[in-house]
Amino acid sequence: MDLKSGYPYWAVKNGLMYAFPRLDADLNCDVAVVGAGITGALIADELAGHGHDVVVLDQRDVCWGSTAASTALLQYEIDTHATDLAKRYDQASALLAYQACLAAVHDVGTLAQAVGDVDFATCKSLYYASNRADHARLTDEFAWRRQHSFPVRWLGRSALKDQYGLTSPAAILSSVAARVDPYRLASRLLRRMQQKGTRIFDRTEVKSITSTARSVHLTTDSGVSIRAKHAVIASGYEAQCWLRQRVAQNRSSYAYISDPVDRAELGWLAGTLLWESSRPYLYLRSTGDGRLLVGGEDDDRDIPARRDRLVDRKAAILQRKVARLLPHIQAQPAFAWAGTFAETADGLPFFGPHAQHGPRVLFALAYGGNGITYSMIGAGLLRAQIERRPHPLTDLFSFARLE
Ligand SMILES: Cc1cc2nc3c(=O)[nH]c(=O)nc-3n(C[C@H](O)[C@H](O)[C@H](O)COP(=O)(O)OP(=O)(O)OC[C@H]3O[C@@H](n4cnc5c(N)ncnc54)[C@H](O)[C@@H]3O)c2cc1C
């Protein structure tokens, strides 16, 4: 499966940062992490940092999957409104999910600062109503977040026009959000782990996973065998191949990045992410060197060749939308790309075991628009499961919600 098309900017900017060896001899470990994207990197780091003997395996060069295509807006606000989650489940579940995401934005920041040089910055996030019909939904969402002490401000039509130059009925301004170079963060994290003794192998495909009551046995494309106490499947949108039950829908999202824009022209966009209430939504942010990074135009295409052909056309549509929304900005696409992502029915991820594989095989499916913040939560959650400790999100983020 080809997870990305066109020229994902992070891969162009950073190139192949580090090469790891292929695995060519059998080994034993505590935890075998399958997949070295941002999810596998965060989970492996959490486990290795707490004394587990971890091995990480990737069939490609590390971070060369959808991590390289991510626009990496880090938000606690997820694609499903808290008010909708509360209706679907209950207030406590909605609150739990949103509070965990809020903490995760902070946690990614702490990690990014420790790793260093990953273009991390905290920002605000402006979520505007795409049309009049969404005004009421945003009003309810704002009231819910205020009631539960989330860091939000309401902006009406005239405040939005005066302060942001945006024409929209209303918006929720959140003061907690961030941005990062996800490819660089994951790559540097993996390199740091390797330097501390974690074994990392790329260009090593895991072909089979079987488990018993005591261990998990994995084999690779070259017939090498790995015996572990647990396996973590962090293989991103390709993880569905390990499950007979369909747990999510693969889709494509499109993105472009401009050349650096003059600081004065960028204005508030230098420190604020922007997204909207329509689904699929337009999302955008700037980078440390002042580029505008724009994404959206999601569709159901799951066939890479068809998606590849659309990259330039989708970038042109996105550019027209940005020009209408922010007419003062001149930002032509310098690089455009597309990537696979997956959506779950409720916008929440899946972390934990699935009945098909037993308790020693743990899935890390950080699906949805907030994949990176979800992965940060998943790191702590899966460590708790491996260490047999309770975690408040074990049930909500489990496959049990599909029953
Ligand atoms: C265009 C786009 C924009 C996005 N924007 C955002 C955003 O703004 N904010 C946000 O939080 N999220 C965003 N996401 C989602 C986010 O990028 C994903 O959550 C994240 O990239 C998933 O990382 P991952 O490590 O799970 O998957 P991947 O990066 O795909 O890593 C999985 C790895 O597993 C490996 N693998 C697969 N099968 C095997 C096997 N059998 N053996 C060995 N290795 C295997 C693959 O080679 C791959 O390297 C976006 C995604 C896209 C595509």
Side-chain angles (χ1 to χ4, degrees):
M1 183 181 192
D2 201 351
L3 291 166
K4 55 194 189 313
S5 320
Y7 294 94
Y9 175 62
W10 311 118
V12 174
K13 174 191 164 213
N14 296 297
L16 279 180
M17 290 181 66
Y18 309 105
F20 296 92
R22 274 176 67 90
L23 177 62
D24 57 11
D26 295 353
L27 55 78
N28 294 332
C29 60
D30 290 341
V31 187
V33 176
V34 182
I38 187 74
T39 307
L42 291 172
I43 293 168
D45 184 65
E46 173 75 13
L47 291 168
H50 288 85
H52 297 268
D53 176 23
V54 178
V55 165
V56 184
L57 307 142
D58 201 296
Q59 63 182 358
R60 301 182 171 85
D61 288 289
V62 301
C63 310
W64 208 247
S66 60
T67 295
S70 182
T71 48
L73 287 75
L74 306 178
Q75 294 168 287
Y76 75 85
E77 317 166 83
I78 60 184
D79 290 359
T80 310
H81 283 183
T83 43
D84 292 333
L85 272 185
K87 277 183 216 141
R88 190 178 184 118
Y89 299 112
D90 49 47
Q91 292 289 349
S93 300
L95 192 56
L96 206 55
Y98 267 68
Q99 281 176 338
C101 289
L102 190 71
V105 174
H106 174 76
D107 293 346
V108 176
T110 306
L111 189 62
Q113 310 283 13
V115 169
D117 188 21
V118 293
D119 198 22
F120 175 87
T122 55
C123 331
K124 294 177 182 165
S125 165
L126 190 62
Y127 181 49
Y128 68 92
S130 314
N131 48 54
R132 271 210 298 274
D134 283 351
H135 184 272
R137 290 184 62 236
L138 248 66
T139 309
D140 291 348
E141 182 66 14
F142 174 73
W144 187 95
R145 291 203 214 161
R146 271 298 280 267
Q147 184 195 344
H148 296 290
S149 305
F150 283 85
V152 282
R153 258 179 63 206
W154 181 257
L155 293 170
R157 184 180 286 279
S158 60
L160 262 179
K161 192 74 191 163
D162 294 347
Q163 293 169 37
Y164 292 90
L166 288 177
T167 304
S168 157
I172 299 174
L173 180 68
S174 290
S175 60
V176 175
R179 59 166 166 77
V180 73
D181 174 339
Y183 176 82
R184 206 168 167 83
L185 172 61
S187 301
R188 286 177 64 82
L189 204 51
L190 289 162
R191 177 73 175 140
R192 191 179 78 161
M193 271 180 259
Q194 189 197 37
Q195 286 169 336
K196 290 183 186 169
T198 298
R199 290 169 288 175
I200 301 173
F201 302 96
D202 61 17
R203 291 155 297 124
T204 301
E205 183 184 2
V206 173
K207 284 290 205 187
S208 74
I209 303 175
T210 50
S211 66
T212 66
R214 289 169 170 272
S215 65
V216 187
H217 181 222
L218 301 89
T219 53
T220 73
D221 49 345
S222 56
V224 170
S225 165
I226 301 136
R227 203 165 285 283
K229 292 180 192 148
H230 289 92
V232 172
I233 313 279
S235 53
Y237 307 123
E238 292 163 302
Q240 181 66 60
C241 73
W242 299 105
L243 291 170
R244 287 189 291 274
Q245 180 182 30
R246 179 151 287 283
V247 299
Q249 200 60 47
N250 273 7
R251 308 194 68 201
S252 292
S253 193
Y254 300 81
Y256 76 82
I257 193 164
S258 70
D259 285 327
V261 175
D262 183 74
R263 286 279 155 179
E265 206 179 305
L266 208 53
W268 58 267
L269 279 162
T272 309
L273 321 176
L274 185 65
W275 67 306
E276 61 169 332
S277 61
S278 276
R279 296 292 184 269
Y281 49 84
L282 176 75
Y283 50 99
L284 57 100
R285 56 114 156 170
S286 60
T287 58
D289 62 351
R291 294 167 191 268
L292 199 63
L293 176 49
V294 180
E297 282 303 300
D298 307 356
D299 60 34
D300 290 335
R301 283 186 183 78
D302 191 20
I303 300 172
R306 290 200 190 146
R307 184 189 61 203
D308 296 359
R309 285 198 291 273
L310 283 174
V311 168
D312 290 342
R313 204 187 315 160
K314 292 276 193 173
I317 296 172
L318 287 170
Q319 192 196 353
R320 280 199 295 277
K321 285 190 171 175
V322 173
R324 268 201 303 275
L325 192 65
L326 306 162
H328 65 288
I329 291 206
Q330 299 294 319
Q332 312 288 327
F335 298 98
W337 66 94
T340 301
F341 75 105
E343 270 179 3
T344 57
D346 56 10
L348 298 180
F350 293 107
F351 288 102
H354 187 280
Q356 188 187 328
H357 291 272
R360 290 189 176 270
V361 178
L362 305 172
F363 283 81
L365 311 185
Y367 294 169
N370 291 55
I372 298 171
T373 31
Y374 282 158
S375 297
M376 191 74 241
I377 299 169
L381 201 167
L382 292 189
R383 178 164 79 86
Q385 294 191 358
I386 286 169
E387 294 173 356
R388 295 171 181 244
R389 286 184 291 106
H391 188 285
L393 284 160
T394 296
D395 292 337
L396 186 61
F397 285 1
S398 78
F399 290 105
R401 1 191 259 285
L402 295 174
E403 285 163 10

